[in-house]
Amino acid sequence: MSDFLSRSADYMPLLFEGMWRTVAVTLLALCLATLLGLVWALLRTSGVRVLAVPTRILVEFVRGIPILVILFYIYFVMPEIGLDLTAFQAGVIGLALTYSCYIGETFRAGIEAVDKGQIEAAKSIGMRRPLMMRRVVLPQAFRIVVPPYANNLVMLLKDSSQVSVISVAELTMQGKMLASSTFDNMTVFTLVALLYLCLTIPLNMVMRRVELRMGKAR
């Protein structure tokens, strides 16, 4: 045990560096994915076929491709057509694009779960669709989607490890490099797993409290 603790003290600075990069990738990808997801949901529920159908095709197309393939395509293929991104930028965009489709479907389900009677009531008093969405539909939809949205957030945090394949030195990549140089696989990957738990467990607890509060506010 003492050997594990002493080695851990030597390894932790590098692993902490990777952990903060994991947090940065996750937060940036989450912000972009949430904005895009909301756009996809609004287009899907717009009732305008020329907007809804292409959006549905895009969502199903992206959801059908593994994250690794999307990351490889953005990082290795896009430079061939003039879009040269750093590994960090490609990782954020790849994760955001992928998760925007899952979050978009979550938002769409929340919008469609709002009581139709309230929508009809809003229309009957002359509310236009943008105002109705902002004041009536979206506030209720956001309360409905908190649990699945929180699940997407945790999954995104864990899937951020995928960006290591395009050389982003996040937590998993730092662990791989450290293990390959020290040959101390057990200690390194135990620490990596514990650091991921240090991120996901508090996140789950916070989101559970938010879910309970929003449930009481209904």
Side-chain angles (χ1 to χ4, degrees), residues 128-143:
R128 294 184 180 275
R129 180 176 173 81
L131 183 61
M132 178 184 68
M133 293 297 292
R134 189 170 73 249
R135 291 191 176 179
V136 178
V137 178
L138 290 181
Q140 297 181 70
F142 286 146
R143 293 189 182 98

Side-chain angles (χ1 to χ4, degrees), residues 12 30 38 55 114 137 144 152 158 160 204 208:
M12 287 304 283
L30 178 68
L38 183 57
T55 305
V114 174
V137 178
I144 295 170
N152 282 323
K158 293 189 292 185
S160 65
N204 279 321
R208 197 170 294 119

Side-chain angles (χ1 to χ4, degrees), residues 74-112:
I74 292 173
Y75 188 57
F76 294 113
V77 178
M78 297 305 283
E80 296 181 11
I81 60 174
L83 185 60
D84 197 2
L85 299 172
T86 66
F88 184 88
Q89 292 169 337
V92 169
I93 292 172
L95 289 173
L97 178 61
T98 300
Y99 270 85
S100 72
C101 295
Y102 294 103
I103 292 174
E105 288 298 281
T106 298
F107 285 159
R108 180 184 62 82
I111 290 170
E112 292 178 348

Side-chain angles (χ1 to χ4, degrees), residues 151-169:
N151 184 61
N152 282 323
L153 172 53
V154 174
M155 293 299 295
L156 174 57
L157 174 61
K158 293 189 292 185
D159 277 345
S160 65
S161 63
Q162 304 274 17
V163 300
S164 64
V165 300
I166 55 172
S167 74
V168 179

Side-chain angles (χ1 to χ4, degrees), residues 5-154:
L5 293 175
S6 63
R7 290 195 297 267
S8 297
D10 293 333
Y11 302 156
M12 287 304 283
L14 282 174
L15 294 178
F16 271 134
E17 182 182 337
M19 185 178 75
W20 298 128
R21 196 167 285 112
T22 289
V23 172
V25 168
T26 301
L27 291 178
L28 290 171
L30 178 68
C31 291
L32 185 54
T34 301
L35 290 174
L36 286 174
L38 183 57
V39 171
W40 305 152
L42 292 174
L43 292 176
R44 288 286 304 275
T45 58
S46 65
V48 181
R49 189 173 179 81
V50 72
L51 298 177
V53 172
T55 305
R56 180 179 179 181
I57 293 172
L58 170 67
V59 168
E60 294 301 326
F61 181 79
V62 173
R63 290 173 67 190
I65 302 175
I67 295 178
L68 288 179
V69 176
I70 291 176
L71 290 172
F72 286 149
Y73 199 91
I74 292 173
Y75 188 57
F76 294 113
V77 178
M78 297 305 283
E80 296 181 11
I81 60 174
L83 185 60
D84 197 2
L85 299 172
T86 66
F88 184 88
Q89 292 169 337
V92 169
I93 292 172
L95 289 173
L97 178 61
T98 300
Y99 270 85
S100 72
C101 295
Y102 294 103
I103 292 174
E105 288 298 281
T106 298
F107 285 159
R108 180 184 62 82
I111 290 170
E112 292 178 348
V114 174
D115 186 6
K116 303 301 181 191
Q118 296 190 41
I119 296 175
E120 293 300 322
K123 289 179 179 178
S124 69
I125 62 174
M127 276 193 182
R128 294 184 180 275
R129 180 176 173 81
L131 183 61
M132 178 184 68
M133 293 297 292
R134 189 170 73 249
R135 291 191 176 179
V136 178
V137 178
L138 290 181
Q140 297 181 70
F142 286 146
R143 293 189 182 98
I144 295 170
V145 304
V146 166
Y149 181 82
N151 184 61
N152 282 323
L153 172 53
V154 174

